[in-house]
Amino acid sequence: ALCSAFTKRYAAKGLAYTGEITLSGEVLPVGGLNAKLISAVRAGIKTVVVPRANRPDIEELPKELTDKLHITYVKNASEVLKLAFPH
């Protein structure tokens, strides 16, 4: 949201991000991914960006859910920004 406000640009449509970002830019893992991904599908989101450390959690979720999304794994904030603001 801050990057969007400063650059006067909108984030990419159809993209959702979940994760916590530290002051040094590291993306930390989060919980509750099943509910978050279900909500993303219901909202029509096609791409979800999640912390790389959550990959094992995603692999345990039902394929019927994860097959409906393009899931991208990130480790730092710069990766998130490249996805959210591709141009």
Side-chain angles (χ1 to χ4, degrees):
L2 288 174
C3 187
S4 183
F6 288 135
T7 63
K8 307 281 192 250
R9 295 171 50 203
Y10 292 107
K13 292 185 181 194
L15 177 83
Y17 166 76
T18 185
E20 295 183 30
I21 299 175
T22 67
L23 292 175
S24 62
E26 181 184 359
V27 175
L28 301 177
V30 295
L33 285 172
N34 190 49
K36 291 174 183 177
L37 296 185
I38 289 171
S39 296
V41 169
R42 288 181 180 165
I45 300 295
K46 301 293 182 200
T47 302
V48 178
V49 180
V50 299
R52 189 172 295 151
N54 280 115
R55 184 182 287 259
D57 302 322
I58 296 287
E59 291 171 355
E60 292 179 5
L61 295 177
K63 291 282 284 169
E64 306 86 56
L65 174 59
T66 58
D67 285 348
K68 295 177 182 176
L69 297 164
H70 178 267
I71 301 171
T72 302
Y73 300 96
V74 296
K75 188 173 180 177
N76 59 58
S78 64
E79 294 174 272
V80 176
L81 293 175
K82 285 178 187 174
L83 294 166
F85 301 97
H87 301 293

